[in-house]
Amino acid sequence: MSHFSDYKDLIQADDWALIWISRDNIKPVKITAGATFNTRYGSFPHDDMIGKPFGSQIAVRTRGSNKFGFIHVLQPTPELWTLSLPHRTQIVYTPDSSYIMQRIQCSPQSRVIEAGTGSGSFSHAFARSAGYVFSYEFHEIRYEQARKEFEDHGLLQDGNLAITHRDVCQDGFAIQKGDKTTFFDDERLNESPSPVQINANAIFLDLPAPWSAIPHLDEVISQDSKVSLCCFSPCIEQVDKTIEALEKQGWTEIEMVEIQGKQYESRRQMVRHLDDALQRLRDVKERKQMGVERRKRMFNKLISDQEEPYEQRPETPKTQFNPFGKGSRVKEGDTGFQWKEVSKVESEIKSHTSYLTFASKIVNKTRDETLVAKLADEIRG
Ligand code: SAM
């Protein structure tokens, strides 16, 4: 069972959960009867989570105080995993991965090649949407760590992902049956002839030198459907060399895109009137005048040797809310005031990351008339 794509209602022992402590502190945890999840806000027994619906808030009383600590126990998704995974490399974030997946039309019909696996961030997103994913990583330790994570998350056993320890620039993508560097658990692949029929129709290359891997793709891509490709490169020089290699290998529809993800905040802003500003100026002037007169009186008392020259400041009522200055807090949307809807855009771009070079290839351009007739019949019903 994939912990990342099979929907579940209730938390059970042996489930993976992502524990939301705060917006930038989400921890992956395997729910285990008798275990405890410790945070600085308190200790949360896993037994309190078992049987509750995913998404539940769990509270414990903080030791030595009357306050409560809270966590939320969430079902894992590729998006949350991207925010919580242990980084072993730079990773692809959701603003990029979601755009790439729709551009390369990732669907259950997709057979995806991904290289390199890196920290496995994008692999989880691909595994949820694609029919099958072939992921390649040449760094042995990263390969082992990713393999273990994929296994733990149920992507390998009866899953739809194969991971291969391979330098794809040197040795390409073909997988011979019985290849000891490839790890998968899928009957369809076990039964497939050697080399394994990869038939990839969606390719994602996040490599320092994609141009060296591109010539190897021809032996593993689908021969009878359109193949879409995306290369993810931080430097424009890499884009240049990649495009040169793509053109040389007959790839078409080449286009480069950069994603600039920004958050838009939508909120209400109080409508401020000129009369409010004038009232505020009158208030300030009046208070200043009162202060000047008080100081003048105290000075006169002092020079005429009166006993107690000091005069208490007059008690002023708590300032009513004034949109131009200090005052009591008003809750956004308070019906006693007038509001308008505004949106505010972040000035900084939160998701740089890389240039995305897209391309496509159709190997066999002849039309299979029998297939076309069959599909037309199906459409006509
Ligand atoms: N897309 C990944 C993610 O979202 O977690 C991150 C990929 S990381 C930036 C690039 C990975 O490619 C590294 O782990 C590196 O070891 C691997 N790599 C680089 N050259 C490679 C090659 N020739 N063959 C296979 N893997 C390679």
Side-chain angles (χ1 to χ4, degrees):
M1 171 215 161
S2 164
H3 294 270
F4 280 72
S5 46
D6 294 335
Y7 180 78
K8 279 188 84 177
D9 281 326
L10 297 182
I11 305 164
Q12 290 176 312
D14 293 334
D15 280 346
W16 275 95
L18 295 179
I19 298 198
W20 179 287
I21 301 165
S22 68
R23 193 184 272 264
D24 35 41
N25 193 2
I26 306 171
K27 294 270 183 259
V29 170
K30 180 134 189 190
I31 303 295
T32 312
T36 305
F37 177 68
N38 292 309
T39 71
R40 62 192 170 106
Y41 308 106
S43 297
F44 298 83
H46 289 204
D47 291 346
D48 286 0
M49 305 172 196
I50 294 172
K52 297 236 166 64
F54 272 107
S56 295
Q57 186 188 61
I58 311 282
V60 289
R61 200 181 284 276
T62 315
R63 202 183 302 154
S65 106
N66 224 3
K67 295 196 178 131
F68 282 94
F70 297 101
I71 53 168
H72 285 88
V73 187
L74 307 179
Q75 186 171 13
T77 64
E79 291 73 21
L80 289 171
W81 179 243
T82 291
L83 298 176
S84 59
L85 59 80
H87 279 223
R88 303 180 282 266
T89 59
Q90 293 271 32
I91 63 165
V92 179
Y93 289 94
T94 301
D96 287 296
S97 62
S98 52
Y99 179 78
I100 294 165
M101 285 212 285
Q102 65 87 13
R103 277 291 300 256
I104 62 175
Q105 293 167 22
C106 187
S107 74
Q109 271 70 48
S110 300
R111 294 179 65 82
V112 177
I113 281 182
E114 177 202 37
T117 314
S119 306
S121 166
F122 207 160
S123 321
H124 281 75
F126 274 136
R128 181 182 54 190
S129 305
Y132 210 89
V133 185
F134 296 87
S135 190
Y136 299 79
E137 172 58 57
F138 79 168
H139 187 283
E140 191 169 2
I141 297 169
R142 269 178 228 146
Y143 158 77
E144 280 301 339
Q145 286 168 324
R147 189 180 69 74
K148 163 116 193 10
E149 250 167 35
F150 296 155
E151 212 171 353
D152 284 350
H153 296 169
L155 305 181
L156 290 175
Q157 308 85 340
D158 304 323
N160 62 340
L161 190 143
I163 179 165
T164 300
H165 180 218
R166 171 86 57 86
D167 180 339
V168 292
C169 295
Q170 225 179 315
D171 302 320
F173 300 89
I175 299 172
Q176 300 304 324
K177 218 174 146 190
D179 185 338
K180 292 279 177 284
T181 65
T182 298
F183 198 94
F184 60 85
D185 182 11
D186 184 283
E187 275 179 21
R188 286 162 299 169
L189 289 196
N190 278 320
E191 282 163 11
S192 109
S194 196
V196 170
Q197 301 297 296
I198 292 183
N199 288 336
N201 52 11
I203 321 280
F204 177 66
L205 301 181
D206 184 358
L207 299 168
W211 51 88
S212 308
I214 287 166
H216 296 294
L217 286 171
D218 279 351
E219 58 179 336
V220 285
I221 56 175
S222 167
Q223 302 296 297
D224 48 24
S225 62
K226 183 173 174 177
V227 183
S228 301
L229 167 143
C230 173
C231 294
F232 191 80
S233 304
C235 306
I236 200 77
E237 291 78 7
Q238 289 169 303
V239 174
D240 198 29
K241 287 182 86 165
T242 301
I243 292 177
E244 204 175 289
L246 288 170
E247 283 177 334
K248 198 162 159 208
Q249 298 298 320
W251 290 79
T252 55
E253 297 185 302
I254 299 174
E255 192 179 283
M256 195 274 282
V257 174
E258 189 188 6
I259 304 289
Q260 301 196 343
K262 286 184 179 186
Q263 300 244 13
Y264 282 74
E265 185 196 357
S266 161
R267 59 187 172 83
R268 276 171 289 196
Q269 191 177 64
M270 187 182 283
V271 177
R272 298 165 181 199
H273 295 288
L274 185 59
D275 284 351
D276 294 329
L278 293 174
Q279 183 57 41
R280 163 88 180 141
L281 288 176
R282 276 189 217 108
D283 270 7
V284 171
K285 199 171 164 192
E286 198 177 308
R287 280 162 197 268
K288 201 170 157 190
Q289 188 59 34
M290 278 161 65
V292 169
E293 281 164 12
R294 180 170 147 267
R295 277 195 297 276
K296 211 190 271 174
R297 279 195 301 278
M298 289 197 309
F299 179 72
N300 287 339
K301 281 185 200 164
L302 195 68
I303 55 172
S304 60
D305 266 350
Q306 288 190 17
E307 251 185 24
E308 180 49 71
Y310 185 73
E311 216 179 274
Q312 283 281 334
R313 266 175 207 278
E315 275 283 318
T316 46
K318 194 171 182 314
T319 336
Q320 282 304 297
F321 180 76
N322 183 324
F324 292 90
K326 284 189 190 160
S328 44
R329 255 177 84 83
V330 172
K331 229 176 143 200
E332 190 180 310
D334 184 324
T335 47
F337 299 88
Q338 206 187 335
W339 303 87
K340 62 179 175 189
E341 302 281 345
V342 293
S343 76
K344 199 173 147 219
V345 58
E346 278 178 324
S347 51
E348 269 176 57
I349 294 168
K350 285 276 162 64
S351 74
H352 156 55
T353 64
S354 282
Y355 299 112
L356 311 181
T357 306
F358 292 97
S360 67
K361 193 170 201 175
I362 300 175
V363 178
N364 185 354
K365 296 198 178 78
T366 50
R367 214 162 102 124
D368 178 343
E369 293 303 339
T370 330
L371 184 64
V372 173
K374 190 170 158 245
L375 289 174
D377 277 352
E378 276 175 20
I379 291 166
R380 275 189 226 108

